[in-house]
Amino acid sequence: MKPLHSIQITAVGAYAPPKVLTNTELSTIVDTSDEWIRSHTGIGERHIAEKEQTTSDLAMLAVEDLLARFGRSKDEIDGIVVATATSDYPGFPSTACLLAERLGTSGPALDVSAGCTGFIYALEVARAMILSNSMRNALVIGAEKLSSVINWKDRNTCVLFGDGAGCVLLEQDSSKQGLLDTLLKAEGAGSGALTIDPGQRCITMEGRAVYNFAVRSIGETILSLVQRNNLTIDDIDWIVPHQANKRIISACAKRYSLNEDAFYLNIEHYANTSAASIPLALAEMQKKGLLKEGQKLLFVGFGAGLTYGGSLLVWHQS
Ligand code: UT7
């Protein structure tokens, strides 16, 4: 049997479309301002995909970045797990199957639907499938073309989101500890607070309700993961949160006495990219050289469902 904590992140990659939409440009489309968006969210700009670009295109470019950055070959990939709320087709084929076709893989390929918590859910699905020998290794991808489900007339939502993709390679190595623990939750009673309206294909949201849920769920997840692994918050080198609103992180840090500087934030340049936000941030941290051998990382997310959760892991340089 494979040791429970032997699944590692061994490579990361990311892609954001080159087209950037600034707050000032947005203020010519809806009644908003750079000052309001920055002060209420910390967002300065977002990346927007081309009309013909799909979620699987964004995901594929993130995978190509991973392969190039880490000198890996697509022939090594077995399974694919994609977290997305904006798959190319509302039904089938899944985004993961579209990628399996492009990469020429033959292992399991599936999509996971857990809103902005999707990457954390997908990571756990892939970890469990590797441990049970259903797949040898897995590309775990968060990819979203949220610009395709935005009501550009609704200032309450259109200023918040952006497009992008991030991914990691999960592999087994018994000689080291990798993913240590995962916490996954869902509060279905709140499902109406954040949806993609099926008729209009656009995001609807009760902003305040989601904000309050976010502050509570992030704080509880972090403390719970730390405590049940007999750690203290000072043992965590980086918290990589779902990037939805800088104010949510500040409020959470204040309420739960957490060091705000331990949270890595890049929301200013990407806005909220839903399931892509954590791997996008992680790939940026790797590129900047912020991740060091043996560091403890904590991913934490929340979103539609209402879902939330977190992963605790040890980072290893590849
Ligand atoms: O991935 C998870 C997805 N979602 C989230 O994480 C969102 C969680 N919620 C939030 O981040 C915040 O609730 C928002 C950023 C969405 C809103 O911030 P807020 O401080 O909760 O503002 P509010 O909704 O209470 O609105 C305050 C005012 C309202 O005007 P009145 O009624 O006070 O006159 C809004 O109409 O701000 C107005 N407003 C805007 N004004 C300028 C709302 N959106 C905008 C805008 N520009 N874009």
Side-chain angles (χ1 to χ4, degrees):
M1 214 172 107
K2 291 174 180 167
L4 219 53
H5 299 153
S6 62
I7 309 301
Q8 324 279 327
I9 292 180
T10 54
V12 295
Y15 176 78
K19 189 155 97 188
V20 168
L21 180 63
T22 64
N23 291 343
T24 308
E25 285 166 320
L26 249 184
S27 68
T28 64
I29 306 172
V30 281
D31 181 14
T32 190
S33 64
D34 180 52
E35 195 282 326
W36 191 97
I37 302 171
R38 276 184 195 275
S39 61
H40 283 73
T41 68
I43 297 167
E45 58 190 20
R46 69 282 297 137
H47 294 253
I48 302 290
E50 294 301 327
K51 218 178 176 114
E52 63 282 1
Q53 237 176 351
T54 63
T55 296
S56 64
D57 293 332
L58 303 181
M60 187 64 200
L61 288 160
V63 172
E64 283 173 7
D65 179 54
L66 177 149
L67 298 175
R69 253 199 236 194
F70 286 80
R72 306 295 296 253
S73 153
K74 64 185 173 65
D75 302 335
E76 300 173 51
I77 309 299
D78 190 23
I80 302 173
V81 185
V82 178
T84 186
T86 51
S87 49
D88 299 11
Y89 299 95
F92 276 103
S94 67
T95 303
C97 283
L98 294 172
L99 290 170
E101 183 189 5
R102 292 197 206 182
L103 290 162
T105 61
S106 57
L110 66 149
D111 284 6
V112 168
S113 171
C116 304
T117 323
F119 180 74
I120 301 211
Y121 270 65
L123 210 52
E124 177 59 9
V125 168
R127 188 186 77 94
M129 289 180 78
I130 297 171
L131 283 175
S132 69
N133 296 321
S134 299
M135 41 171 89
R136 232 178 32 254
N137 60 39
L139 271 177
V140 182
I141 304 166
E144 303 282 9
K145 188 184 179 187
L146 291 165
S147 59
S148 66
V149 290
I150 284 171
N151 175 356
W152 291 101
K153 292 186 178 136
D154 177 14
R155 71 176 184 174
N156 292 298
T157 53
C158 76
V159 303
L160 303 175
F161 299 100
D163 298 333
C167 56
V168 302
L169 181 61
L170 270 196
E171 295 180 285
Q172 201 259 333
D173 179 348
S174 304
S175 70
K176 305 176 200 155
Q177 290 211 313
L179 280 166
L180 300 177
D181 195 9
T182 305
L183 184 150
L184 300 176
K185 295 272 189 185
E187 294 181 2
S191 60
L194 181 52
T195 62
I196 296 182
D197 181 283
Q200 295 167 8
R201 285 273 294 161
C202 69
I203 295 171
T204 63
M205 187 178 69
E206 293 167 29
R208 261 292 136 181
V210 177
Y211 183 102
N212 293 334
F213 160 74
V215 173
R216 170 174 59 82
S217 60
I218 294 175
E220 286 178 2
T221 301
I222 293 170
L223 293 184
S224 175
L225 277 172
V226 165
Q227 282 160 10
R228 74 188 197 184
N229 286 280
N230 300 316
L231 298 170
T232 72
I233 193 65
D234 296 334
D235 293 319
I236 307 301
D237 296 285
W238 285 107
I239 299 171
V240 189
H242 166 49
Q243 316 271 324
N245 184 333
K246 190 173 184 297
R247 269 170 60 221
I248 290 175
I249 301 304
S250 303
C252 175
K254 196 166 166 210
R255 188 190 299 175
Y256 293 91
S257 304
L258 306 169
N259 173 14
E260 200 174 335
D261 292 339
F263 289 84
Y264 183 79
L265 288 175
N266 65 358
I267 188 170
E268 184 180 3
H269 301 295
Y270 298 94
N272 179 344
T273 57
S274 190
S277 84
I278 292 175
L280 250 177
L282 187 71
E284 188 173 277
M285 293 170 81
Q286 192 273 335
K287 207 169 196 170
K288 285 183 174 173
L290 295 175
L291 301 175
K292 313 272 187 236
E293 177 65 28
Q295 281 181 337
K296 285 199 178 64
L297 310 186
L298 202 155
F299 302 158
V300 61
F302 65 92
L306 294 171
T307 55
Y308 64 100
S311 320
L312 177 67
L313 64 137
V314 182
W315 178 262
H316 296 288
Q317 305 288 20
S318 301

